[in-house]
Amino acid sequence: MLDSLQLDRAFLAEKDVQILEIETQISKLQAQISALEGSISVLRTAKQPAQTRLDSYKYPVLTLPPEIVAEIFLHFLPTYPDPPPLTGIRSPIWLSHICCQWRRIALSTCVLWRAINLTGIARDGQLREKGAALLALSWLERSGCAPLSICAVDHAETNLIISIFLGYQARWEHLSLTAIHSTQLREMALTPMPLLRTLHLDFTQAVTAPLMFSNQHLPLLRVVVLNDCLRPSVGLPWFQLTSLTLRFIFMEECISILQRTRHLVDCTLQFQTRTAFQQYPDVTDTVLPSLQKLVFERHSDPAMGPFLSFISPALRHLEVIEGLLGLSGTIPPVDPIRTLETFISKSGCKLQELRITEAYIYSPDGYRDAFPSIPIITADK
């Protein structure tokens, strides 16, 4: 029993020594901590003047009035009506990620969100389409009351997105759509679009039911681009247009439209090629007194009839396929230069620029020698 008590006393004495050693170490550490805290206090006191100077400095860019910053943001984006990308460095969303102040300015500047490009965003199915629809809604809400430039060129999955845009027709200013459903097109035709200036409709399926767009619904419409699937079925206020592009169009349809566009300044045509079994119809002269630029794109019908039917006294720029002017293989052969001379004489125009495409009969110098009064002449194959 006595031996057991003696062992306990020895054990306690040993632990007391260990505790004392630890307490001694703690005391030393506390002294070191106190010294370090003193050093920290000295350092904080030393850095305070520099911190005060930094805190009082105002970065020039952050002192600009919000309206100036908004104007800089606007110049960062593509020139309206060209739309910026929805995401990435050229998107207004990027501007909202710089700092809180810039985010507030970006989100409150309506014109940053007025041009919306949803091209290609809905190709991966319904989930992507719904995501694009939510994104479109957020941009529309941020755009406030600003006129809109909308580009939705995609496949048929874009119907949900287009249906959202249909609720904002009163603000449409520039519109480019493809793969739109016929019922949505009819809804467009019945709803006023008082701000619309540019209309580009490109369809993958023909629209057969007649659709009439009233000039009262489109008082400001000036620029139109149509493809062959839509053209025969749609009536537009042609007389008020200043720029018109018609692609894959038969010549007689073109003449029927152009005879109602006396205010046209810029015209681009792409005739539908006829088969050997289709007879080329007779054409009547079409007077376009204000036309300054006329372009015939590739795949045009190789016949000079429609070309010579245009009378454009104000024409300054002409771009035409050489095959539309004449073919050396025909009987009798038709000389492109003679055709051009006839056209210029008949129109009474003073061309300033002539471009001949798919030129295989004459070289550029050949055209320059024939028309020395035209300052700019190019001919390429």
Side-chain angles (χ1 to χ4, degrees):
M1 181 66 180
L2 293 176
D3 292 339
S4 175
L5 293 174
Q6 187 175 359
L7 289 174
D8 288 339
R9 292 189 185 98
F11 175 79
L12 292 175
E14 181 183 358
K15 297 307 175 187
D16 287 338
V17 172
Q18 293 176 354
I19 291 172
L20 182 61
E21 290 177 352
I22 293 174
E23 288 177 343
T24 302
Q25 292 177 5
I26 290 174
S27 297
K28 292 179 180 179
L29 291 174
Q30 287 176 340
Q32 293 177 0
I33 290 173
S34 179
L36 291 174
E37 287 177 343
S39 299
I40 290 175
S41 179
V42 171
L43 292 173
R44 285 175 175 168
T45 302
K47 79 169 192 175
Q48 189 60 43
Q51 186 66 55
T52 301
R53 289 193 297 271
L54 287 175
D55 291 342
S56 63
Y57 180 77
K58 300 296 183 182
Y59 290 92
V61 70
L62 296 180
T63 63
L64 293 173
E67 58 270 18
I68 300 299
V69 177
E71 188 67 22
I72 294 173
F73 286 175
L74 187 60
H75 283 77
F76 172 78
L77 302 180
T79 303
Y80 182 82
D82 292 340
L86 289 177
T87 58
I89 194 170
R90 298 293 291 176
S91 169
I93 293 178
W94 183 272
L95 298 172
S96 68
H97 292 170
I98 306 301
C99 65
C100 293
Q101 181 176 333
W102 282 18
R103 177 177 177 82
R104 287 193 298 269
I105 295 173
L107 295 181
S108 62
T109 304
C110 298
V111 293
L112 296 181
W113 312 94
R114 60 182 172 173
I116 306 173
N117 184 4
L118 292 172
T119 300
I121 198 168
R123 291 180 180 172
D124 294 337
Q126 188 176 9
L127 182 61
R128 289 287 299 276
E129 183 182 358
K130 289 183 177 179
L134 292 175
L135 191 57
L137 274 175
S138 68
W139 281 53
L140 289 168
E141 291 172 356
R142 293 170 185 172
S143 65
C145 297
L148 296 173
S149 173
I150 297 172
C151 181
V153 180
D154 212 305
H155 299 294
E157 291 86 357
T158 55
N159 285 332
L160 175 59
I161 296 171
I162 294 175
S163 66
I164 292 173
F165 285 137
L166 286 174
Y168 295 82
Q169 283 179 254
R171 292 167 51 201
W172 289 358
E173 187 173 27
H174 305 277
L175 181 67
S176 179
L177 293 179
T178 191
I180 187 172
H181 196 274
S182 59
T183 57
Q184 294 171 327
L185 184 62
R186 293 189 185 93
E187 185 177 346
M188 284 177 54
L190 295 174
T191 306
M193 293 172 272
L195 301 183
L196 191 65
R197 297 177 180 274
T198 303
L199 178 63
H200 182 170
L201 296 178
D202 191 8
F203 286 67
T204 55
Q205 295 180 349
V207 179
T208 56
L211 292 169
M212 298 300 296
F213 288 82
S214 168
N215 64 303
Q216 296 177 348
H217 287 180
L218 301 168
L220 299 182
L221 185 64
R222 296 295 182 269
V223 180
V224 169
V225 179
L226 298 179
N227 78 344
D228 63 321
C229 294
L230 175 65
R231 183 203 61 256
S233 306
V234 171
L236 288 166
W238 306 108
F239 68 92
Q240 65 190 44
L241 301 184
T242 59
S243 178
L244 177 62
T245 297
L246 299 173
R247 293 192 173 96
F248 302 105
I249 181 173
F250 285 119
M251 182 270 298
E252 63 272 21
E253 296 170 340
C254 168
I255 297 300
S256 174
I257 292 174
L258 291 179
Q259 287 175 344
R260 291 172 280 172
T261 58
R262 294 184 60 83
H263 299 292
L264 210 58
V265 175
D266 188 331
C267 182
T268 298
L269 301 174
Q270 188 174 11
F271 289 134
Q272 183 77 280
T273 302
R274 293 182 176 277
T275 67
F277 301 100
Q278 292 176 307
Q279 185 177 2
Y280 203 86
D282 294 331
V283 296
T284 57
D285 288 343
T286 301
V287 180
L288 299 171
S290 303
L291 190 66
Q292 297 182 17
K293 182 177 180 179
L294 178 60
V295 176
F296 292 91
E297 292 185 344
R298 294 188 62 187
H299 306 299
S300 292
D301 198 348
M304 67 178 181
F307 177 73
L308 290 177
S309 69
F310 291 102
I311 299 178
S312 309
L315 192 65
R316 295 295 179 266
H317 177 107
L318 175 63
E319 181 177 331
V320 60
I321 301 168
E322 191 176 56
L324 195 65
L325 301 174
L327 298 172
S328 59
T330 59
I331 301 176
V334 180
D335 187 354
I337 288 180
R338 301 287 84 80
T339 302
L340 270 175
E341 289 176 342
T342 302
F343 170 79
I344 294 173
S345 175
K346 185 177 179 179
S347 290
C349 61
K350 296 181 180 179
L351 288 179
Q352 299 300 305
E353 184 173 356
L354 172 64
R355 183 187 177 196
I356 308 296
T357 59
E358 300 183 21
Y360 295 98
I361 300 177
Y362 284 103
S363 67
D365 289 337
Y367 285 103
R368 294 188 187 105
D369 293 340
F371 302 99
S373 63
I374 302 178
I376 302 174
I377 296 180
T378 58
D380 53 74
K381 298 181 179 181

